[in-house]
Amino acid sequence: MALIIEAAPALPIFKTFHYLVPAELEKDIRPGLRVLIPIGLRTVTGYVLGTVASSDRSQMRRGVPELKEILDIMDERPLFPPGLLRLFEWMARYYHYPLGKVIELALPAGLNISSRRRLILTGIGRRILATDAHPPEGGGHLGPGCNEEDASPEILSVLSLFRGEKPVSVPAIEKISPGAGRDLIPGLVDKGLLAWKEVVERPRTRLKEERTVMLTGKASEKPLSGDEEAILTYLREQGEVPVKRLGASMPHLAKRLKKLEKSGLISFSKAIIYRDPFSAEGFWYRRPTALTAEQKQAVEDITRALSSHEFSAHVLHGVTASGKTEVYLRAAEAALAQEKDCIILVPEIALTAYLEAAFISCFGDKVAVLHSGLSPGEKFDQWMHILEGKARIVIGARSAVFAPLSSLGLIVVDEEHDGSYKQEDKLRYHGRDVAVMRGRLEKATVILGSATPSIQSVFNVKSGRYGYLALTRRVEERALPGVSVIDMRDSGSQTGAGRAIFFPELLDAIEDNLQKREQTLIFLNRRGYSPSMQCNSCGQVLICPNCSVSLTHHLSEQTLLCHYCGYSVPALPACPACGGINVRSIGWGTERIEAELKILFPEARIARLDRDTTTRKRAHHAILRAVQKREIDILVGTQMVTKGHDFPYITLVGVVSADLSLNLPDFRAAEKTFQLLAQVAGRAGRGERPGKVIIQTYNPDHYSIIKAKKHDFPGYYEKEIALRQALRYPPFVRMINLLLESNSQIKVKDYAREMSLRAHALLQKNRGWLETVEILGPAPAPLFKIRGKFRYQMFLKGLKVGPLHAYINGLLEDLKAKPPVSGVKLIIDVDPESML
């Protein structure tokens, strides 16, 4: 009998495959293991999904097509527990993404093995190289299969790369001979000088080992030198130690260790070491001596939910500085007391350090971290640490939802409203929604915390799907900050360069704060010096050649940069269209805000927190630590500064322009504006001193700004939900965006037109779909060109999730059977967050 398994290849294909397991590997095969599998001519990583059946090999040979065998098992133990496999299968169905790629993206990067096509030198090629090195006297024939033209300098330069036995890649050859991949290599393969070979590459990430030394217990038979005696004495005291620890203070160590090993006094080994990913050093968490009545009630409700051992989801709606972090800590304590594991999700890597400090202070080495800011090795070590059960609490950004905990009981999604939980490329999942589904599959309790919950989550509370936990007051009865709104349309009182950006009320408040030695936060959700540059002579705005956006001026680097594709050019002294030299910056970003503040307040210590100042690993933590230590007077930042941070000496928040998100072509524009303003306002007055917020806006009468000023979330929700219902937008419908991309504007337009025709035709065939599914578009995307790709999009609206997904499955099958146009990529974005 032969064991048959089902495996999902780590390839962009939707099928899974059956494989035979060699008899010698049957005892080791389990779901969750990686195996090497053959796919066509390639060898790739596959993930074992389960055992299918056992079959008689002799019967298979008598008529049933014989299955291929797996080539090897790559792991000693599964890399993820069974509960995660169920989640991966749901994600593959819901987000319409290949199962093998779902698993690959969930696991730490660099683990997989795959084969790549490489070129090797044949016998004929070797003879030509040998002849070139030692030509026959008086000329002569080059050997069987070789011609004089095969020894041309160009060909010999390529063949010379193969003097060893190591296969060579096409890019390596292209460096020596540009165009060889197109013009030269096919001919060399046809003539038999080179041949293709599938080469299996090793994984890039693995456990890190270090060399250690220890005593054998044998007594010395010969006199030892003083240094040798010192080594043995140290090992008696310390036990097994890394060799590099000995080498720190002892010269000629290798020679002495070799002598001691030869005498049988010491032995060497290798030990696995874990790379330290933690970045909370320098942060601290002020734990309260007692809980408020509302905090106590929330903790009691969560503990009761944990004790039920059933799935439940709850929105923890707490105003800023109401103590949500302490509720998370108490909930984790309750989960651990019940032998349950915890996941704590945050939307930004910058927020992990603060929560790390809070949780490590309470739970020590039971805490692990998982996020994209870790190196591949650090992330792999943390994954294995969790898998081995050494960590019970996992803190991280979006991808930490996949942490391989086997006894999951609690998932906290902090700042659950935040759009950063949505992955915007490859597998376009939403971390919050996946967290809820994982909780459902593993019967865990899910807490969705926010001062400004998403419309979707509050709607789920109103409809009875989620529970509701309220923290309506700040801890220690601190007052919410007072908010004033400045109408930017009234610019009569502004004078001077900096005063074109800052109105007098804000400047006076900053000056007053500096006099009182209190800290100020200035928020603008736009980085760079200015968002565009324009020629005054011809009116030309400098546009990215790859994208339908203007180039952003970065003054410190003297560059014009596209924030979508990364294209950059030096800041131009003259207009590329007319040659005019009167090119000026239009608008402002955080870099210009910082520069203007340094002119206006030269004695102030000013720092900036945005993507440009945090490119180095953990750079954002260094800036936040400086704020916490009161080494910064004014912090300028984008939305990275708006949430989660607890700085008690920030008493003033200034919003330079509240309208940026309000003007986006997005049905969530008002929601995002309200959330940003309420969140950034919540950074003020979190300590003993009261806070103040000043908002500059061109739309002071918009309901999102009026409600943010009044801290009126219920009033905002009622206004917004009524508009959503009238316009048939989520949460009253579900949406899927079918996004088309192509290098050809004509091709993408033709594909969009044909896809629309087929979509409407399919809708007419099923009355159930016709009554519940609506098609919007197709139309050019608001950002029509990104990274050189022209983009169209078509939205599907569905009253019910089941019929909507059944409909799109039918449409995808139709498009797959007969693609309308080649050279067009179709991207499926379920529950889209961005409409651009």
Side-chain angles (χ1 to χ4, degrees):
M1 298 295 289
L3 190 65
I4 301 174
I5 62 162
E6 182 181 13
L11 294 173
I13 53 179
F14 285 86
K15 290 181 63 178
T16 59
F17 298 90
H18 292 171
Y19 289 91
L20 286 172
V21 180
E24 64 272 18
L25 298 180
E26 285 186 1
K27 67 180 187 303
D28 300 318
I29 204 76
R30 281 177 289 170
L33 290 171
R34 293 174 301 150
V35 291
L36 278 180
I37 55 175
I39 294 280
L41 298 176
R42 296 187 61 187
T43 300
V44 301
T45 297
Y47 306 101
V48 179
L49 306 179
T51 301
V52 177
S54 295
S55 298
D56 192 309
R57 291 181 186 269
S58 61
Q59 288 183 356
M60 295 177 69
R61 285 194 294 269
R62 290 197 297 267
V64 179
E66 189 163 357
L67 298 175
K68 293 180 179 180
E69 290 187 338
I70 66 170
L71 305 177
D72 199 4
I73 297 176
M74 298 167 60
D75 307 302
E76 294 182 2
R77 58 177 296 173
L79 285 181
F80 49 85
L84 267 182
L85 180 55
R86 297 196 301 273
L87 180 70
F88 296 151
E89 290 172 336
W90 172 81
M91 291 179 70
R93 292 191 303 271
Y94 187 77
Y95 292 107
H96 303 275
Y97 205 76
L99 177 57
K101 298 299 288 184
V102 171
I103 300 173
E104 180 185 42
L105 289 168
L107 296 178
L111 289 181
N112 287 339
I113 291 176
S114 62
S115 63
R116 296 286 187 270
R117 293 190 83 194
R118 298 287 187 266
L119 288 158
I120 58 173
L121 196 63
T122 65
I124 298 175
R126 274 192 290 271
R127 285 199 296 275
I128 289 178
L129 273 180
T131 303
D132 177 59
H134 304 286
E137 294 184 9
H141 191 56
L142 293 176
C146 304
N147 301 316
E148 292 288 343
E149 62 181 30
D150 294 334
S152 68
E154 188 179 21
I155 289 176
L156 289 174
S157 69
V158 171
L159 298 184
S160 66
L161 295 174
F162 295 84
R163 290 197 182 275
E165 296 296 322
K166 189 175 180 180
V168 178
S169 67
V170 172
I173 296 174
E174 290 270 5
K175 288 183 179 179
I176 301 297
S177 179
R182 179 182 65 253
D183 303 326
L184 194 59
I185 290 174
L188 296 181
V189 172
D190 290 341
K191 292 178 180 180
L193 280 68
L194 298 177
W196 290 107
K197 181 180 180 180
E198 289 290 325
V199 178
V200 176
E201 297 180 337
R202 297 178 64 188
R204 301 190 307 274
T205 306
R206 59 182 67 87
L207 289 171
K208 185 177 181 180
E209 295 180 331
E210 66 179 354
R211 194 170 182 234
T212 60
V213 59
M214 63 185 298
L215 294 174
T216 62
K218 181 181 176 181
S220 175
E221 299 175 355
K222 298 179 181 179
L224 300 174
S225 69
D227 285 342
E228 291 164 354
E229 284 286 5
I231 291 173
L232 297 182
T233 300
Y234 184 79
L235 293 177
R236 288 189 196 100
E237 295 172 352
Q238 301 294 324
E240 185 177 6
V241 298
V243 172
K244 65 181 180 182
R245 191 189 302 175
L246 289 172
S249 59
M250 186 172 293
H252 310 297
L253 176 69
K255 185 176 180 180
R256 289 175 170 81
L257 290 178
K258 188 174 182 179
K259 181 179 176 182
L260 291 172
E261 182 189 25
K262 191 173 181 180
S263 301
L265 301 178
I266 63 172
S267 63
F268 294 100
S269 183
K270 285 187 177 181
I272 294 172
I273 58 173
Y274 288 101
R275 289 151 277 213
D276 182 14
F278 291 101
S279 55
E281 184 180 351
F283 289 87
W284 61 88
Y285 171 67
R286 300 175 296 153
R287 194 155 197 193
T289 55
L291 297 181
T292 67
E294 290 180 329
Q295 285 176 315
K296 285 181 182 177
Q297 187 61 56
V299 172
E300 289 175 5
D301 290 347
I302 294 169
T303 303
R304 193 177 305 112
L306 286 165
S307 301
S308 72
H309 306 293
E310 294 293 335
F311 162 72
S312 61
H314 310 261
V315 170
L316 177 61
H317 184 187
V319 299
T320 55
S322 60
K324 292 186 290 295
T325 299
E326 186 61 29
V327 173
Y328 301 156
L329 288 167
R330 301 295 177 105
E333 287 175 345
L336 292 184
Q338 298 182 29
E339 297 297 320
K340 295 179 178 181
D341 301 329
C342 313
I343 294 174
I344 314 296
L345 297 181
V346 294
E348 300 271 4
I349 296 173
L351 297 179
T352 58
Y354 174 70
L355 279 179
E356 278 177 35
F359 276 82
I360 290 173
S361 68
C362 296
F363 303 107
D365 59 6
K366 291 186 176 71
V367 179
V369 293
L370 282 176
H371 54 72
S372 59
L374 305 181
S375 70
E378 288 171 343
K379 192 169 185 180
F380 176 70
D381 286 354
Q382 289 293 287
W383 187 276
M384 300 307 295
H385 201 63
I386 299 163
L387 195 63
E388 291 165 3
K390 296 176 181 177
R392 306 293 305 279
I393 299 172
V394 179
I395 299 172
R398 182 175 56 226
S399 61
V401 73
F402 305 121
L405 296 164
S406 56
S407 301
L408 185 61
L410 175 70
I411 305 177
V412 172
V413 185
D414 191 29
E415 310 292 355
E416 65 85 28
H417 67 277
D418 199 283
S420 300
Y421 280 117
K422 176 70 172 181
Q423 173 91 6
E424 293 293 356
D425 61 357
K426 297 180 180 178
L427 173 57
R428 300 189 175 215
Y429 70 95
H430 199 296
R432 178 198 61 214
D433 299 342
V434 172
V436 171
M437 180 51 67
R438 185 171 184 187
R440 185 182 299 278
L441 292 171
E442 300 193 38
K443 296 185 177 180
T445 300
V446 181
I447 306 301
L448 308 177
S450 177
T452 55
S454 64
I455 294 294
Q456 180 71 56
S457 294
V458 177
F459 183 78
N460 284 333
V461 170
K462 302 283 187 182
S463 60
R465 297 187 186 95
Y466 295 171
Y468 185 70
L469 310 170
L471 303 177
T472 61
R473 293 181 175 85
R474 285 186 158 188
V475 295
E476 300 177 3
E477 295 296 329
R478 292 175 187 141
L480 287 166
V483 181
S484 59
V485 174
I486 298 173
D487 187 350
M488 296 179 74
R489 295 171 298 185
D490 178 17
S491 59
S493 60
Q494 291 180 279
T495 58
R499 289 165 176 79
I501 301 173
F502 306 103
F503 276 64
E505 294 93 328
L506 181 53
L507 289 176
D508 292 343
I510 295 173
E511 178 66 41
D512 183 56
N513 235 35
L514 289 171
Q515 293 293 330
K516 293 188 294 186
R517 301 184 62 80
E518 296 175 3
Q519 292 173 304
T520 298
L521 175 63
I522 301 297
F523 167 68
L524 176 66
N525 205 24
R526 178 187 282 156
R527 61 192 179 102
Y529 187 79
S530 64
S532 61
M533 296 192 76
Q534 185 178 37
C535 175
N536 278 353
S537 300
C538 68
Q540 177 75 38
V541 174
L542 305 185
I543 301 294
C544 173
N546 306 315
C547 306
S548 302
V549 295
S550 60
L551 292 170
T552 298
H553 184 203
H554 288 256
L555 184 65
S556 61
E557 299 175 3
Q558 285 298 309
T559 60
L560 299 176
L561 176 66
C562 175
H563 289 169
Y564 285 89
C565 72
Y567 171 85
S568 67
V569 293
L572 304 174
C575 173
C578 72
I581 60 172
N582 193 8
V583 180
R584 64 188 178 97
S585 295
I586 301 176
W588 47 80
T590 48
E591 186 185 9
R592 184 174 176 187
I593 298 295
E594 179 189 26
E596 298 286 358
L597 286 170
K598 286 180 176 178
I599 295 172
L600 293 166
F601 305 104
E603 301 301 320
R605 298 168 297 176
I606 301 172
R608 174 163 49 96
L609 183 66
D610 57 25
R611 194 173 298 177
D612 299 319
T613 62
T614 57
T615 53
R616 289 183 296 106
K617 187 175 181 180
R618 297 174 184 167
H620 53 282
H621 292 158
I623 297 171
L624 294 174
R625 276 196 296 269
V627 176
Q628 194 169 49
K629 293 177 181 179
R630 301 183 70 183
E631 297 170 354
I632 292 172
D633 299 316
I634 303 174
L635 179 65
V636 179
T638 58
Q639 65 176 359
M640 295 174 72
V641 304
T642 64
K643 57 233 173 186
H645 308 296
D646 184 22
F647 300 128
Y649 292 97
I650 289 181
T651 55
L652 172 65
V653 169
V655 180
V656 173
S657 178
D659 310 293
L660 299 183
S661 56
L662 196 58
N663 297 323
L664 294 175
D666 186 342
F667 72 89
R668 293 191 184 91
E671 179 180 10
K672 292 175 181 177
T673 300
F674 176 85
Q675 289 166 343
L676 275 174
L677 295 179
Q679 289 286 339
V680 74
R683 300 314 105 202
R686 299 174 72 93
E688 296 177 357
R689 305 175 189 183
K692 180 179 181 180
V693 180
I694 298 176
I695 298 174
Q696 298 182 168
T697 176
Y698 288 106
N699 291 278
D701 300 324
H702 194 279
Y703 67 92
S704 64
I705 293 174
I706 292 172
K707 299 301 182 183
K709 175 184 177 180
K710 297 178 179 179
H711 306 287
D712 182 12
F713 181 86
Y716 157 74
Y717 175 81
E718 293 303 326
K719 176 72 173 177
E720 183 69 20
I721 201 70
L723 289 172
R724 298 279 184 93
Q725 186 170 23
L727 297 173
R728 288 170 54 89
Y729 276 119
F732 296 97
V733 297
R734 307 298 285 269
M735 292 183 67
I736 298 176
N737 182 12
L738 301 181
L739 178 64
L740 301 174
E741 291 183 344
S742 177
N743 293 324
S744 167
Q745 184 174 349
I746 295 174
K747 283 186 175 182
V748 74
K749 184 177 181 179
D750 290 345
Y751 195 115
R753 185 188 301 114
E754 180 64 23
M755 182 175 70
S756 176
L757 292 173
R758 295 196 196 181
H760 283 91
L762 182 65
L763 205 59
Q764 297 295 327
K765 292 180 180 179
N766 187 311
R767 186 168 184 83
W769 290 343
L770 188 61
E771 293 175 350
T772 60
V773 176
E774 179 185 358
I775 300 172
L776 300 179
L783 294 177
F784 180 47
K785 188 181 180 185
I786 295 292
R787 300 183 187 91
K789 305 286 186 182
F790 297 96
R791 306 159 77 241
Y792 268 72
Q793 56 190 20
M794 185 172 80
F795 288 96
L796 306 179
K797 284 184 179 181
L799 293 175
K800 296 181 180 178
V801 66
L804 178 61
H805 282 266
Y807 168 75
I808 192 174
N809 282 331
L811 179 58
L812 293 175
E813 285 296 321
D814 181 51
L815 295 172
K816 182 180 177 181
K818 187 180 178 183
V821 181
S822 63
V824 179
K825 181 180 180 181
L826 172 60
I827 298 169
I828 303 165
D829 189 359
V830 179
D831 303 325
E833 186 74 20
S834 171
M835 313 301 286
L836 301 180

